[in-house]
Amino acid sequence: MLWNGWGDPERAAPLPESVVGLLGELLGVRPSDGRSVALEDALPRASRLPDDAREAFAGIVGAEHVRTDGESRIRRTRGKSTPDLLHIRSGAVEDAPDAVLRPGSHDEVVAVLRLCAERRIAVVPFGGGTSVVGGLAPSGHDCFVTLDLRRMNRLTEVDTVSRTAVLEPGLRGPEAEALLAEHGYTLGHFPQSFEWATIGGFAAARSSGQASAGYGRFDDMVTALRVATPEGTWETGRSAPRSAAGPDLRQLVLGSEGAFGVITSVTVRIRPRPTTRVYEGWRFGSFEAGRAALRALAQDGPLPTVLRLSDETETLVGLADPEAIGKGASESGCLAIAGYEGDAEEVAVRRERAQAVLRAHEGTFLGEEAGEKWNHGRYSAPYLRDALLDAGAFAETLETAAYWSRIPALYENVRTALTTALSGAGTPPVVLCHISHVYPAGASLYFTVLSAQGDKPEETWAGAKRAANDAIIASGGTISHHHGVGTDHRDWYAQEIGPLGVEVLHAVKNRLDPSGILNPGILLPPLTSPGA
């Protein structure tokens, strides 16, 4: 992956000149030379890892798997949020890890964690490095190492009778799918980060894929976990598909973002690979009308495998296709995408029934071309974000979820908060939104913000993000549906779970990680209760 951007360098492409000009007219974007500090010119601080600690780590994982060179450390610095990238692109890599360790087994991870606890060296688990919420920015320790899990990239078991599989955490999405495909199965988890994010990261951040309507969220797929902690091995699996034997400890690991332990094995349920895939487009006269159609399908069925709805602005802009930006939609309204996967007969029946519901809500069928266009570009938006940064624009995303009854107010309040916060410096931003995941009780809202970078883009965005987070909590939304907490959402997460909830999390942390070395400063809000 690009060290200062997203994904495969060969797929990076500049914006068309017409789009660059349009950004200047609409958003006041000033031209940028697009240059970023070269990797060889970015200088991290000298590694603070003591020589004897390095030798001890080498004795655990092998000398060749202990890296302290500048490039290895820089490539595992921060995540991929826009503020992260602006920071990195400027050459500010002073917060690079002091070493990169690459363990090859669960036992090696346990041994590393015990040594780190003894030496008070912080540890940041690293999979694909795709966090967009400050999940790779530890605090409070003079020395920290990154635990790169990419060597742990095996499919270790497939149970075709139970339809489960055991995967190691360093497998990237495409690798996991390829290994399962050899046995005729799929996981069905396809988030926008699919090409680069890992199985361990999916679990640690409660990831949700674009086909969640049909396959479920990743946390729905997990049946068991194995976790390495400084206190030893923690098994959270059950010997049955469901159990009443006490609280489900998996839920303490799912979404824990490396603060409680390092996930070293994930058992997931799998499904037969679909023989038929069909994606189609629909148009609705308004976001409200489209929401009503999606709610009907979510509550009464039948559910497509993929179901999403763009608001009027996102439909007009055509953000996923740089060539289409600013050209406008052929008609006003909102674009919906419905996708169906399975065997041919089942797909045909479910598609016919779903189409009847969409038509009953005054949806206009646009055919398969619109759906296939979305499918073809479903992983392209982060590349476009990099091109916008090169051109002098600022592009960032945030997401939430709420009950259907609260969605209208949540949608309006977050848009208003972002527009107000970002209008003070000049031209108002463009705020786009889509519904990307639906449930019987509610849905997620995914916002994209485009504005001029201005003189202090990171500072300006920090104010806008605070305003949006406040609006989310005040409107009854969750602070994150699938991006996670990291550092960006930590204070609002405290409001969501309350003081006692914060104390419970710290109690778990203290038992599993009494030295506080695991991803310090991530996820857990500070204790504020008297005597804490």
Side-chain angles (χ1 to χ4, degrees):
M1 183 183 279
L2 276 167
W3 72 280
N4 59 355
W6 181 267
D8 181 356
E10 296 299 319
R11 292 176 59 184
L15 292 175
E17 285 300 320
S18 59
V19 175
V20 174
L22 188 64
L23 290 171
E25 294 175 16
L26 297 180
L27 298 176
V29 172
R30 296 196 297 268
S32 168
D33 59 16
R35 288 182 297 178
S36 174
V37 171
L39 177 59
E40 57 269 23
D41 294 330
L43 300 175
R45 64 173 188 273
S47 173
R48 296 171 293 191
L49 184 69
D51 290 341
D52 61 338
R54 175 175 177 149
E55 292 174 4
F57 286 134
I60 297 171
V61 302
E64 69 274 26
H65 299 304
V66 179
R67 304 284 184 86
T68 56
D69 62 282
E71 180 174 344
S72 294
R73 294 163 56 206
I74 289 171
R75 287 187 177 278
R76 293 159 182 84
T77 300
R78 295 190 171 227
K80 297 299 183 181
S81 69
T82 296
D84 282 341
L85 294 186
L86 288 170
H87 200 78
I88 292 289
R89 288 157 69 100
S90 72
V93 292
E94 69 284 350
D95 51 355
D98 294 286
V100 177
L101 311 181
R102 302 193 306 172
S105 70
H106 170 85
D107 290 343
E108 289 184 4
V109 175
V110 172
V112 165
L113 295 184
R114 283 178 171 159
L115 178 60
C116 287
E118 292 171 4
R119 300 295 299 262
R120 301 283 176 168
I121 297 171
V123 179
V124 178
F126 189 96
T130 59
S131 172
V132 292
V133 292
L136 301 173
S139 60
H141 281 252
D142 292 333
C143 180
F144 80 95
V145 297
T146 289
L147 203 63
D148 188 329
L149 301 169
R150 286 288 295 129
R151 287 179 63 211
M152 300 176 67
N153 61 352
R154 293 176 287 269
L155 168 64
T156 62
E157 181 183 335
V158 176
D159 180 344
T160 59
V161 176
S162 304
R163 289 186 177 175
T164 62
V166 181
L167 306 169
E168 289 190 326
L171 276 170
R172 288 189 179 133
E175 294 171 337
E177 283 295 322
L179 290 171
L180 290 171
E182 293 176 5
H183 299 270
Y185 290 94
T186 181
L187 187 58
H189 188 67
F190 306 106
Q192 194 169 76
S193 61
F194 169 74
E195 296 170 309
W196 298 97
T198 59
I199 293 296
F202 293 153
R206 285 191 185 273
S207 176
S208 190
Q210 295 170 343
S212 63
Y215 292 103
R217 290 163 53 98
F218 193 77
D219 47 6
D220 298 326
M221 303 174 183
V222 175
T223 64
L225 294 154
R226 193 181 198 199
V227 184
T229 81
E231 296 294 288
T233 297
W234 183 19
E235 301 279 3
T236 67
R238 303 297 181 95
S239 57
R242 289 289 187 271
S243 173
D248 186 350
L249 295 180
R250 290 175 303 176
Q251 300 305 323
L252 282 174
V253 179
L254 295 166
S256 61
E257 302 182 29
F260 296 157
V262 178
I263 297 168
T264 59
S265 177
V266 184
T267 304
V268 292
R269 60 118 175 99
I270 54 179
R271 298 187 183 184
R273 283 177 58 81
T275 58
T276 300
R277 291 183 174 92
V278 181
Y279 304 96
E280 61 190 30
W282 291 77
R283 186 174 300 281
F284 290 89
S286 67
F287 198 43
E288 180 181 7
R291 282 200 311 265
L294 267 60
R295 180 168 66 88
L297 289 172
Q299 292 180 336
D300 302 319
L303 260 179
T305 309
V306 173
L307 187 60
R308 50 198 294 124
L309 172 73
S310 295
D311 71 0
E312 291 89 345
T313 306
E314 185 169 282
T315 300
L316 180 66
V317 171
L319 187 62
D321 180 5
E323 297 294 337
I325 293 177
K327 294 182 179 179
S330 58
E331 301 176 44
S332 61
C334 298
L335 174 66
I337 299 296
Y340 308 87
E341 299 183 8
D343 66 60
E345 182 178 355
E346 186 271 338
V347 163
V349 171
R350 185 156 47 103
R351 185 184 184 195
E352 182 179 4
R353 291 178 57 209
Q355 287 182 341
V357 174
L358 295 169
R359 287 193 175 93
H361 285 79
E362 300 183 352
T364 301
F365 182 60
L366 301 179
E368 295 180 20
E369 181 179 354
E372 288 300 328
K373 185 176 181 180
W374 168 82
N375 184 41
H376 178 72
R378 65 196 299 182
Y379 306 126
S380 300
Y383 291 97
L384 175 58
R385 189 262 306 266
D386 288 355
L388 288 164
L389 289 177
D390 289 342
F394 184 95
E396 186 57 301
T397 62
L398 59 91
E399 43 76 39
T400 179
Y403 294 128
W404 287 110
S405 59
R406 295 176 178 173
I407 289 290
L410 178 64
Y411 171 71
E412 293 297 341
N413 292 342
V414 173
R415 291 174 71 240
T416 298
L418 289 168
T419 301
T420 301
L422 291 171
S423 294
T427 307
V430 173
V431 180
L432 312 93
C433 183
H434 65 259
I435 293 174
S436 51
H437 307 276
V438 298
Y439 310 93
S444 71
L445 293 176
Y446 192 102
F447 296 89
T448 300
V449 184
L450 301 176
S451 67
Q453 284 186 20
D455 297 327
K456 299 179 178 179
E458 292 182 60
E459 182 179 317
T460 300
W461 174 248
K465 186 65 183 290
R466 285 193 298 270
N469 288 351
D470 287 342
I472 286 171
I473 296 298
S475 303
T478 178
I479 199 57
S480 176
H481 173 264
H482 58 270
H483 281 171
V485 175
T487 55
D488 294 359
H489 296 151
R490 190 177 55 205
D491 294 344
W492 292 268
Y493 179 48
Q495 297 179 49
E496 192 166 322
I497 65 176
L500 185 57
V502 173
E503 291 184 33
V504 169
L505 292 180
H506 277 272
V508 174
K509 173 80 167 176
N510 290 338
R511 177 62 187 91
L512 298 172
D513 179 25
S515 300
I517 61 162
L518 287 169
N519 223 1
I522 307 301
L523 179 70
L524 273 68
L527 284 167
T528 57
S529 58

